[in-house]
Amino acid sequence: MIKELINKAIQAREKSYSPYSNFKVGASVMGESGKIYSGCNIENAAYSPTICAERVAIFKAISNGEREIKKIALIGSTDSFTYPCGVCRQVMTEFASDDFEIIVAKNIEEYVSYSLDDLMPNSFRVRDMGR
Ligand code: THU
């Protein structure tokens, strides 16, 4: 399952639109239904509208009806691990299952796995608004 997710992230990375950074990122998310949704980073000449691969994949899952995500794999395009940015970590907190797993891959063989609490401790969630 983890290798399938990484493989889908690698395939999605091929579609990256990143003419400004030249840094391709791919991500894939497994929703509560077991379906997989993939995404790549999409940049913009105005820079700030740029969106990360992780958010594209998560928003595809949510817009297809998923309400919880179980796993995410991501892969950048250097020889080292690419970790999710802070904005993407915040988006993950909104939809992550209790056993959510973040798989940061260098390639299909080399990856590290984290819980959301590892990467986003004491995050702000709906419960912090007293709901
Ligand atoms: N990027 C991602 O897609 N995910 C990350 O977690 C880090 C950054 C993208 C955004 C931008 O297109 C490029 O990488 C350089 O920041």
Side-chain angles (χ1 to χ4, degrees):
M1 174 44 73
I2 287 182
K3 288 212 192 282
E4 187 188 347
L5 265 187
I6 297 172
N7 210 19
K8 291 256 163 71
I10 291 170
Q11 284 171 20
R13 186 179 60 183
E14 292 298 306
K15 304 281 195 300
S16 168
Y17 176 76
S18 43
Y20 307 105
S21 71
N22 284 313
F23 186 64
K24 293 176 189 279
V25 185
S28 61
V29 163
M30 193 179 85
E32 62 194 322
S33 71
K35 284 192 195 155
I36 294 175
Y37 306 84
S38 305
C40 59
N41 55 330
I42 304 171
E43 299 187 342
N44 189 281
Y47 288 25
S48 68
T50 291
I51 186 166
C52 295
E54 299 94 304
R55 270 174 291 147
V56 172
I58 293 168
F59 293 156
K60 277 170 77 176
I62 302 308
S63 60
N64 274 281
E66 307 281 357
R67 281 298 173 267
E68 214 171 54
I69 55 176
K70 307 282 284 178
K71 295 180 195 300
I72 188 166
L74 77 138
I75 187 160
S77 43
T78 60
D79 286 341
S80 49
F81 294 110
T82 295
Y83 284 84
C85 81
V87 173
C88 291
R89 293 180 199 204
Q90 180 64 33
V91 169
M92 289 174 201
T93 66
E94 188 74 22
F95 303 110
S97 61
D98 288 341
D99 57 348
F100 186 62
E101 193 181 0
I102 301 164
I103 299 142
V104 180
K106 223 188 252 191
N107 53 55
I108 196 84
E109 302 294 341
E110 289 177 275
Y111 60 86
V112 281
S113 170
Y114 297 90
S115 71
L116 191 55
D117 209 47
D118 290 332
L119 299 189
M120 193 69 175
N122 301 316
S123 62
F124 179 77
R125 299 191 190 203
V126 66
R127 58 164 187 245
D128 298 303
M129 295 189 288
R131 291 188 219 162

